[in-house]
Amino acid sequence: MEIVKVNPKSAEIERLCSREVAPSKEIHDKVMAILADVKKRGYAAALEYAQKFDGLTGKTLRVTDASIAKSAAKAGPALRKALRTAIKNVRDFHKNQMEESWLMEAQDGVVLGQRIRPMKRVGLYVPGGAGVYPSTVIMNAVPALVAGVEDIVVVTPIKDEINPAVAFVLMELGIKEVYHIGGAQAVAMLAYGAKDAKGKTIVERVDKIVGPGNVFAAIAKKEVFGVVDIDMVAGPSEVLVMADSACDADFVAADLLSQAEHGSGFEAAICITDNMETAKMISACVDEQVENSPKRELLKKVLDNFGRILVVKDWFDGVAIANRIAPEHLEVMTSEAESMAAQIENAGAVFIGPWSSEPVGDYFAGPNHVLPTNGTGRFFSPLGVYDFLKRMSIVRYSEKAIKKNAKAIATVAMEEGFYHHAQAVLKRL
């Protein structure tokens, strides 16, 4: 693994911060055409695309309850136990994020406040092509359920029958509305709803779409934002490990490769250290683990592109670089891990100490694994219960209050040129 001496202004830092997968105009145009077609022709168009692109052989998109139950029954006892524990951990963590409505009483009988309500219907995209992702269902559905969302709709481009682990999680969470469809066509169906030729609604539109997908789904989510809400447009996975001479180099190497194996070729696996000898030890461990890996060629591609061990002169520079990169996952494996972690301002999730390996967060600990990527940790947060809640402002003015303040309100309205705004309050005098 390549070792580079850097400072916060180095060109290598800029390169690492600038990585992205830019979709071609051809792909973008295809997505726009699919969105427009499903919006216009509804269920018929969605069905045709699912048959063409998603391996659907039947004439209906809905996955039956019986089919889900049949697949779920194939999940082994150890897997069931692990998934149940993960669900409990994620639910327990997210319960702490729940918000409550509130009211405040001001002068003259004025009552102001905020009313919290859950979204009613949410769409969850679960990838089903190259991988199997029960953790995606858990991490996206559990906070929605904690928030009080009534309807969770799952779309997934399954090739044959639904994966047993995914099916088991769906049953555990009580999710029954599942459709065999993926890509831009799935996003379009969720965003616009789908009617049949007679105008009957087959699939109701959702309020929000969450979950990762392929490049077609990602572009589609971006394009329908505003028609519905979305979680985020996620980029390739990232991990940044801060390590000093106290670290276990083999642990660091393993954690770097845990993100490099995702497979797009654009993942980032970065280590920051203040010690050249530590850098060399980590590099040697990475090389050894790569050579012994069944994914050797894939890992080499990722590490050649965005796998780097960055050597800094001190941890002032190290922390500054970490905050500049704002990684999806940030691990701190230093002798002063707690105090260093406290200096991190920009990251999706921070893992502190040698036993807090990143996959612990991906699958089990409880915090959400849907995290901001590509430096967006500077302003985005992990997916949470708050993403499935709406906030409505409450205003209740008394007669005394409006008579006291009407002229002031009208003065501001007239300054902005809104005559009837002013009249609406002045008529109450």
Side-chain angles (χ1 to χ4, degrees):
M1 190 170 176
E2 186 173 343
I3 300 172
V4 184
K5 288 185 177 182
V6 295
N7 62 60
K9 297 183 179 180
S10 295
E12 181 65 9
I13 305 303
E14 184 62 33
R15 189 186 74 86
L16 292 172
C17 291
S18 301
R19 72 189 178 94
E20 61 180 326
V21 183
S24 67
K25 184 179 185 302
E26 180 183 10
I27 292 177
H28 186 270
D29 289 347
K30 286 181 179 179
V31 168
M32 297 303 292
I34 292 171
L35 291 175
D37 194 22
V38 174
K39 183 178 182 181
K40 180 179 180 180
R41 296 197 297 123
Y43 190 80
L47 181 63
E48 289 173 16
Y49 287 119
Q51 291 170 334
K52 182 177 181 180
F53 297 124
D54 301 319
L56 179 65
T57 55
K59 295 183 178 180
T60 180
L61 294 172
R62 185 74 178 257
V63 180
T64 65
D65 292 350
S67 177
I68 295 172
K70 180 181 177 182
S71 294
K74 297 178 183 178
L79 177 60
R80 288 170 177 246
K81 182 179 180 181
L83 290 171
R84 283 196 179 108
T85 305
I87 289 170
K88 180 184 184 301
N89 292 346
V90 173
R91 182 180 282 119
D92 288 347
F93 176 87
H94 284 82
K95 283 179 180 178
N96 291 288
Q97 296 178 341
M98 193 61 190
E99 300 177 21
E100 296 183 355
S101 301
W102 56 270
L103 294 173
M104 58 174 281
E105 293 186 10
Q107 292 181 340
D108 303 317
V110 172
V111 176
L112 307 172
Q114 191 174 72
R115 186 163 292 156
I116 307 296
R117 292 288 184 267
M119 296 179 183
K120 184 179 186 302
R121 186 170 168 83
V122 169
L124 168 51
Y125 191 108
V126 180
V132 175
Y133 302 103
S135 63
T136 293
V137 183
I138 295 171
M139 292 294 182
N140 286 271
V142 169
L145 291 169
V146 172
V149 174
E150 290 183 17
D151 301 328
I152 296 178
V153 189
V154 169
V155 293
T156 181
I158 51 180
K159 293 302 181 185
D160 186 12
E161 66 177 21
I162 199 163
N163 171 265
V166 172
F168 177 75
V169 171
L170 291 173
M171 292 195 68
E172 283 290 297
L173 298 179
I175 299 172
K176 296 184 177 181
E177 190 174 351
V178 182
Y179 297 96
H180 183 146
I181 188 171
Q185 55 273 17
V187 173
M189 185 181 77
L190 292 173
Y192 304 125
K195 296 181 179 181
D196 64 14
K198 297 181 180 180
K200 179 183 177 181
T201 298
I202 307 299
V203 182
E204 292 185 17
R205 62 180 293 184
V206 301
D207 302 314
K208 185 164 188 164
I209 301 173
V210 298
N214 61 19
V215 64
F216 291 91
I219 297 170
K221 282 172 65 177
K222 187 175 181 180
E223 291 296 334
V224 300
F225 176 62
V227 176
V228 294
D229 191 17
I230 64 172
D231 49 356
M232 62 186 75
V233 180
S237 190
E238 314 161 337
V239 64
L240 188 155
V241 182
M242 305 175 76
D244 63 13
S245 58
C247 78
D248 185 311
D250 218 30
F251 287 5
V252 175
D255 291 355
L256 292 171
L257 297 184
S258 74
Q259 295 309 296
E261 74 170 333
H262 274 279
S264 76
F266 289 87
E267 289 77 19
I270 303 167
C271 177
I272 299 177
T273 182
D274 64 340
N275 184 289
M276 181 59 75
E277 290 305 312
T278 301
K280 291 177 180 178
M281 290 174 58
I282 293 169
S283 180
C285 288
V286 169
D287 292 345
E288 181 180 359
Q289 291 184 30
V290 168
E291 287 305 313
N292 293 321
S293 170
K295 297 185 175 183
R296 181 172 59 253
E297 296 307 315
L298 182 153
L299 294 175
K300 286 183 176 179
K301 178 183 176 182
V302 171
L303 296 178
D304 286 346
N305 287 336
F306 299 107
R308 295 292 184 272
I309 300 174
L310 308 177
V311 181
V312 294
K313 68 176 182 178
D314 55 42
W315 282 114
F316 291 104
D317 280 359
V319 170
I321 290 171
N323 281 323
R324 169 77 172 85
I325 294 174
E328 179 185 18
H329 310 99
L330 188 147
E331 295 187 4
V332 186
M333 292 198 210
T334 63
S335 56
E336 300 294 335
E338 289 286 352
S339 61
M340 187 169 293
Q343 300 176 56
I344 299 302
E345 298 178 354
N346 303 325
V350 180
F351 301 78
I352 304 173
W355 311 112
S356 307
S357 178
E358 187 278 332
V360 174
D362 266 356
Y363 299 116
F364 208 74
N368 212 286
H369 80 190
V370 181
L371 302 168
T373 58
N374 282 354
T376 58
R378 294 177 293 115
F379 47 84
F380 279 150
S381 302
L383 188 73
V385 172
Y386 38 75
D387 286 297
F388 300 98
L389 298 174
K390 302 174 296 179
R391 301 158 187 85
M392 296 178 287
S393 297
I394 303 298
V395 179
R396 188 169 78 216
Y397 252 48
S398 65
E399 180 181 0
K400 181 179 181 181
I402 195 68
K403 288 183 175 179
K404 179 179 180 180
N405 296 293
K407 289 183 179 179
I409 297 167
T411 298
V412 177
M414 289 301 292
E415 178 65 23
E416 293 189 350
F418 288 111
Y419 171 82
H420 291 287
H421 279 65
Q423 289 303 306
V425 291
L426 292 176
K427 281 184 178 294
R428 285 167 165 78
L429 293 180

